[in-house]
Amino acid sequence: MKILFTMDSGEKYSLSEQIYGATGPFPDKKNASVQLSLITEKLRYFSADDGTVIFCEHISTAKIVE
């Protein structure tokens, strides 16, 4: 599982590891959904898989994929 983010600029980034309150890969879609909610509600920014810093206010869409 991973979360794919599309930014306002059209750039795309992925997140495949839990970063808020847990560690390791997303075990299932429900857990990824909870992480996505916590990330967008509690964090101002985070690092994507490639190390790019993502500011939540610039996220246009987020999609959970296998």
Side-chain angles (χ1 to χ4, degrees):
M1 297 256 112
K2 63 183 171 182
I3 304 171
L4 298 177
F5 296 96
T6 303
M7 309 307 290
D8 292 339
S9 64
E11 295 174 311
K12 296 183 184 217
Y13 300 98
S14 66
L15 181 65
S16 58
E17 299 280 324
Q18 301 178 86
I19 60 171
Y20 192 91
T23 58
F26 299 115
D28 54 31
K29 191 171 186 173
K30 180 178 179 180
N31 187 274
S33 178
V34 168
Q35 281 284 306
L36 178 58
S37 279
L38 291 171
I39 289 166
T40 56
E41 289 177 20
K42 305 284 185 182
L43 299 179
R44 185 172 176 211
Y45 59 88
F46 61 94
S47 288
D49 287 339
D50 67 358
T52 301
V53 175
I54 304 294
F55 285 86
C56 295
E57 65 190 41
H58 297 292
I59 296 171
S60 179
T61 63
K63 181 166 76 170
I64 299 169
V65 297
E66 289 186 40

